[in-house]
Amino acid sequence: MTPTETLLLDRLTAGRDHLANLASAAHEERLADLLRRVDGAIGALETGRWGTCCVCRQPLAPDQLAQDPLLQVCLECLTPEARRALERDLETAGRVQRALLPAPFTRCGGWEVAHLWEPKGAVSGDHVDFIRPLRPGDPLHLLLGDVAGKGVAASLLQAHLHALFRALAPAGQPLPDLLAQANGLFAQATLTTSYATLAALRLASDGEAELANAGHTQPLLADAQGVRPVAGGGLPLGLFPDSVFPRQDLAFRPGQTLLLYTDGWTEGTKDEEEFGVGRAAAALGQSFHLPLPELLAACRAALDRFLEGAPRQDDLTLVAVRWTGEA
Ligand SMILES: [Zn+2]
């Protein structure tokens, strides 16, 4: 047994005893079913069958196994009924996740903020949120994150990030402290292999802004003079409990627009060639003067033109923020 498997066996055995107690008390059919699946996984670990499909004996996909260590049947061997149940679950999860999204376009003080959120499948590992101040005059928080991995596991961690920042941001601590606190909690609550990149902005009511970047793509700042990346930042959230997150101060001039994006935009690939930051910056340069929802649509369309129908490989989220100067 590998060290990971030994660790998993310990955790499953402990969880199994807990479940057995619950199930006998409540006679819950679902709990009993879960108990059968845990027993199955423990048996498979003990006999060296864990990680292979019990129907066709082929290895299970590692990413699916990482999401669900109780998995015993590959997708191809699922019954049509089980497959439909899985699809229904995914659709519901997608609806739950959509309900967490902020409005696509928001005005707050002299700021305009817009986003475009497109999961590749039913759910997304991209995290976008605008957190309005409790008191007028306090800063607005804007967050864009990208959880490592894909699918349901990534979407669960996205929901976790959503709750963390909703709970922590209104206290109004400096941005590096906010990220440090969120990082510590995220690292504690997730597997050692889980992490998320994140860019956080605090927008003050006078056009001043703070930016802290936890390993996320470099935002692009656009105005009539051109488009330039805003460099700098720290490590992703969740990797090390004591990471530090440097802060950068930005003073927006009226009309200046900052674009945050997940790598689903710049890393869109056709014939092994990436869309890339160069094309992304060019698309923004041509559209920075447009109203924000149109700007985002134009940036998205530039990727589509590049892909020429080739499928997108990742979730994609764009967020644009503009200082109007009319506080
Ligand atoms: Zn199979």
Side-chain angles (χ1 to χ4, degrees):
M1 224 180 266
T2 66
T4 316
E5 288 177 358
T6 310
L7 192 73
L8 184 60
L9 181 60
D10 287 347
R11 279 173 48 192
L12 288 180
T13 309
R16 192 225 166 266
D17 295 342
H18 184 63
L19 272 175
N21 291 336
L22 280 174
S24 60
H27 299 287
E28 285 272 356
E29 199 184 315
R30 294 186 69 148
L31 273 178
D33 181 51
L34 185 56
L35 192 55
R36 273 194 295 278
R37 296 185 61 214
V38 173
D39 277 342
I42 290 175
L45 278 164
E46 284 169 344
T47 54
R49 284 180 292 110
W50 185 76
T52 53
C53 171
C54 66
V55 181
C56 68
R57 303 286 172 198
Q58 293 300 306
L60 296 166
D63 56 330
Q64 282 167 18
L65 210 52
Q67 282 176 33
D68 180 7
L70 304 183
L71 199 67
Q72 291 203 72
V73 184
C74 72
L75 276 180
E76 288 72 28
C77 293
L78 281 181
T79 63
E81 224 168 281
R83 207 180 287 212
R84 271 195 300 277
L86 200 63
E87 282 164 6
R88 272 198 304 275
D89 270 358
L90 264 178
E91 278 164 27
T92 311
R95 278 202 300 278
V96 169
Q97 200 175 27
R98 264 170 219 283
L100 295 176
L101 288 176
F105 179 71
T106 298
R107 284 197 180 88
C108 186
W111 297 101
E112 290 179 349
V113 186
H115 77 88
L116 186 152
W117 182 85
E118 288 184 10
K120 181 176 181 290
V123 292
S124 173
D126 285 359
H127 173 58
V128 57
D129 205 6
F130 318 146
I131 305 173
R132 285 174 171 276
L134 294 176
R135 294 167 294 268
D138 279 0
L140 169 79
H141 288 85
L142 196 151
L143 305 156
L144 178 61
D146 185 352
V147 174
K150 289 183 176 59
V152 175
S155 73
L156 284 172
L157 291 175
Q158 181 279 328
H160 184 57
L161 280 180
H162 181 272
L164 269 184
F165 280 100
R166 284 273 161 164
L168 295 174
Q173 71 267 54
L175 207 48
D177 297 355
L178 172 64
L179 259 66
Q181 219 180 340
N183 174 61
L185 291 166
F186 192 67
Q188 265 173 37
T190 55
L191 301 171
T192 47
T193 48
S194 301
Y195 65 92
T197 67
L198 182 115
L201 274 168
R202 282 184 92 180
L203 308 172
S205 53
D206 56 0
E208 304 272 320
E210 296 171 14
L211 168 72
N213 189 335
H216 198 72
T217 54
Q218 295 179 355
L220 298 171
L221 186 65
D223 56 27
Q225 274 73 55
V227 177
R228 55 209 164 276
V230 183
L235 291 167
L237 300 180
L239 279 187
F240 303 104
D242 49 2
S243 295
V244 290
F245 302 94
R247 183 190 100 186
Q248 296 172 71
D249 294 324
L250 306 170
F252 278 73
R253 291 191 302 275
Q256 266 188 328
T257 302
L258 188 72
L259 186 74
L260 310 176
Y261 57 92
T262 54
D263 55 16
W265 188 40
T266 44
E267 291 180 7
T269 304
K270 185 196 64 180
D271 300 335
E272 292 179 31
E273 190 185 352
E274 278 188 359
F275 182 58
V277 177
R279 288 187 186 91
L284 175 61
Q286 285 160 16
S287 58
F288 84 93
H289 58 282
L290 296 173
L292 291 190
E294 291 170 38
L295 177 157
L296 293 181
C299 287
R300 173 74 184 79
L303 172 63
D304 272 345
R305 278 196 304 278
F306 170 78
L307 289 178
E308 289 179 323
R312 229 174 61 217
Q313 294 89 2
D314 203 354
D315 305 321
L316 182 156
T317 304
L318 303 173
V319 178
V321 55
R322 175 177 291 159
W323 172 246
T324 63
E326 296 148 17

